[in-house]
Amino acid sequence: MTRPPPVEALLFDLDGTLVDSMHLHFRAYWQELDARGIALDRERFDAAVGGRYSETIPALVDRELSAAEVEGIHDGKMRRFVDNLATEAIPVLPTAALLGANDLRVGLVTSGSWETVRVVLDRLDWLDVFDAVVTADDVTRGKPDPEPYELALARLGVDASHSVAFEDSDPGVEAARGAGIPTIDVRAVR
């Protein structure tokens, strides 16, 4: 029997994998779109998230938008998300117990923008937990494309076969597997 390669790095998605924050993102999008006269329900939100905001926002409103409209909605959503965090706890999921529990390198690979991610990491005192962080701002193609995971592997200096990814969405699982990383879909173990 051949042994699998030793694991040198763990790579994690953030929202829905390490923290239970999707309800906070939904509320911020709902507030911003409602202020613009656009209805949003949780079913549409759940179907649209997992990729970059430039792809998510048109799917949320179910129509084409100009780049300026997408940026305006994103900026408004960001302000509302940060404002909501002032009064909301960010529940940490069991997967977070793996952070710092060993001597492995740790990467964060998220479709969130650095601005949002920084707020969450700062709030949880996790800014120094990760050896590499890849956000939507760092790549030209987001999940489900493997580019975010490939960049994380490069920043960590680790081969895909020596890593394990933890994801909670179809686009995330597809991205990690597309980069050749053995992947655990945390939805299957909840």
Side-chain angles (χ1 to χ4, degrees), residues 55-78:
E55 298 159 353
T56 297
I57 291 171
L60 292 177
V61 302
D62 196 28
R63 66 180 168 91
E64 288 190 35
L65 298 169
S66 69
E69 288 173 305
V70 169
E71 289 301 321
I73 291 170
H74 175 67
D75 291 346
K77 180 264 183 181
M78 292 292 302

Side-chain angles (χ1 to χ4, degrees), residues 79-128:
R79 283 191 300 278
R80 292 173 191 281
F81 181 80
V82 171
D83 289 348
N84 291 342
L85 281 181
T87 59
E88 291 277 342
I90 304 172
V92 175
L93 295 170
T95 312
L98 297 170
L99 297 175
N102 49 57
D103 292 331
L104 302 177
R105 298 186 53 76
V106 181
L108 182 67
V109 182
T110 176
S111 295
S113 66
W114 171 243
E115 184 180 1
T116 304
V117 171
R118 182 189 49 75
V119 170
V120 172
L121 297 182
D122 185 49
R123 178 85 178 275
L124 295 171
D125 199 25
W126 286 359
L127 282 170
D128 297 325

Side-chain angles (χ1 to χ4, degrees), residues 34-51:
D34 186 62
R36 294 167 180 264
I38 302 168
L40 176 65
D41 61 43
R42 185 62 193 244
E43 185 177 326
R44 179 178 297 249
F45 172 80
D46 289 340
V49 297

